[in-house]
Amino acid sequence: MESSNEEINNNFEDTSKVIISEKNKDLSNGLINETIDEKHEEEPQQKLSKNALKKLLRQQKWEETRLSQPPPKKPKVEPIPSDIKVVIDLSFDELMTDVEISSLTSQLSRCYSANRSATRPVNLYFTSCGGRVQERFNTKLQNYVNWKNVIFESRPYLDCFNKEELIYLTADSNDCIQELDEQKIYIIGGLVDKNRHKSICYNKSQEDNIASAQLPIGNYVQLSTRKVLAVNHVFEILIRWLEYKDWEKAFLEVIPQRKLNLGREKKTDINPIDERT
């Protein structure tokens, strides 16, 4: 009996060893398989080049951005055309150098762009257009033929408009406008001369027997020195006033800061700034 029991025990132990051995084998195989799987997962990452990784990151970022909500669009403001007419007098061709002619035509282009994007666009006229100004438009700014809401007129302004409606903007005038009158026609001298020709626009208004006035710059801001304003700056000030009905805001938004003396207090006298260039 003892021999039989001993055999049973030995058989049981052998069976247990086999079972344990099989389990260990399964566990070992499982670990090996997991290791292999991990290596398979890591291998593509290791094989990616720097450019491929960057591309993958960009793709992920794009996917995240695509799923996010786009920012709300700003409501489009429909322009309300003004009845005001603004004339740029181009009768000073012979007084400018070629470089100044080039600068003037660039300023005229900026006037057109400002009017096109304005909330209160005006009726814009270029009178006495000819000579080197017209030649430069024909050769360097040929797209001007597609400009809208601007009229190129070879005739002088006296042949185009009623004299009683004309106001020449010049700092040499004794009168100062407080607001723009939609029944009036405002003239800006189309001249770039670094202030060589003193009082030329005022004298022209006197010769043509038309009204003159200056912008109320000195009532709202102070300029660092007696410096001229570019043609497009004067034009943009008119456009901004029509939008804001606020001279100070229009001046500060348009006049370059280098020309402003922001440290001084405002005065009530009229600043002798020349608004024609």
Side-chain angles (χ1 to χ4, degrees), residues 89 91-92 95 157-158 163 167-174 187 189 191 193 195-213 226 274 276:
D89 176 18
S91 63
F92 307 103
L95 301 178
Y157 53 76
L158 286 178
K163 180 183 292 189
I167 298 178
Y168 215 120
L169 296 176
T170 168
D172 298 301
S173 175
N174 294 323
I187 304 172
L191 176 63
D193 67 341
N195 209 25
R196 290 194 307 273
H197 303 283
K198 306 290 185 182
S199 304
I200 189 170
C201 291
Y202 176 73
N203 292 338
K204 192 166 190 293
S205 70
Q206 296 298 294
E207 292 170 5
D208 292 339
N209 195 26
I210 62 174
S212 65
R226 181 185 171 90
D274 193 333
R276 60 181 169 79

Side-chain angles (χ1 to χ4, degrees), residues 10 22 29 38 65 69 76 123 184 189 193-194 196 201 203 211 243 266 271 277:
N10 290 336
E22 290 295 331
N29 290 336
E38 289 176 359
T65 306
Q69 291 293 331
K76 185 179 179 180
N123 300 291
K184 297 296 184 180
D193 67 341
K194 306 303 179 184
R196 290 194 307 273
C201 291
N203 292 338
E243 180 178 355
K266 291 185 293 184
N271 193 301
T277 59

Side-chain angles (χ1 to χ4, degrees), residues 2-65:
E2 291 181 0
S3 177
S4 297
N5 290 335
E6 187 176 349
E7 290 178 1
I8 292 171
N9 290 334
N10 290 336
N11 291 335
F12 179 76
E13 289 177 0
D14 293 339
T15 303
S16 298
K17 289 179 180 179
V18 171
I19 293 172
I20 291 171
S21 176
E22 290 295 331
K23 286 184 177 180
N24 289 337
K25 184 178 180 181
D26 291 339
L27 288 172
S28 177
N29 290 336
L31 291 173
I32 292 171
N33 291 335
E34 288 178 4
T35 302
I36 292 172
D37 291 339
E38 289 176 359
K39 286 183 178 180
H40 283 307
E41 291 176 359
E42 291 175 358
E43 281 176 359
Q45 294 288 343
Q46 293 173 353
K47 290 181 180 179
L48 288 176
S49 64
K50 289 183 178 180
N51 289 335
L53 285 171
K54 288 180 180 179
K55 185 176 181 181
L56 180 61
L57 290 173
R58 285 198 298 268
Q59 179 69 20
Q60 291 173 348
K61 188 174 182 180
W62 180 84
E63 289 290 344
E64 293 172 0
T65 306

Side-chain angles (χ1 to χ4, degrees), residues 127-228:
T127 61
S128 298
C129 188
R132 288 175 296 164
V133 171
Q134 184 65 61
E135 181 183 351
R136 183 164 177 81
F137 271 112
N138 292 339
T139 57
K140 302 296 183 180
L141 299 168
Q142 296 174 343
N143 65 329
Y144 83 94
V145 296
N146 298 319
W147 289 5
K148 298 179 180 178
N149 202 29
V150 56
I151 295 176
F152 288 79
E153 179 61 68
S154 61
R155 297 177 298 166
Y157 53 76
L158 286 178
D159 292 347
C160 301
F161 306 103
N162 187 340
K163 180 183 292 189
E164 283 70 30
E165 297 175 348
L166 297 171
I167 298 178
Y168 215 120
L169 296 176
T170 168
D172 298 301
S173 175
N174 294 323
D175 297 323
C176 183
I177 58 176
Q178 300 304 320
E179 61 181 20
L180 299 180
D181 184 345
E182 301 229 358
Q183 304 305 314
K184 297 296 184 180
I185 302 168
Y186 296 92
I187 304 172
I188 301 171
L191 176 63
V192 175
D193 67 341
K194 306 303 179 184
N195 209 25
R196 290 194 307 273
H197 303 283
K198 306 290 185 182
S199 304
I200 189 170
C201 291
Y202 176 73
N203 292 338
K204 192 166 190 293
S205 70
Q206 296 298 294
E207 292 170 5
D208 292 339
N209 195 26
I210 62 174
S212 65
Q214 63 173 283
L215 299 178
I217 296 177
N219 293 350
Y220 298 93
V221 298
Q222 291 298 309
L223 299 175
S224 55
T225 60
R226 181 185 171 90
K227 293 182 179 179
V228 296

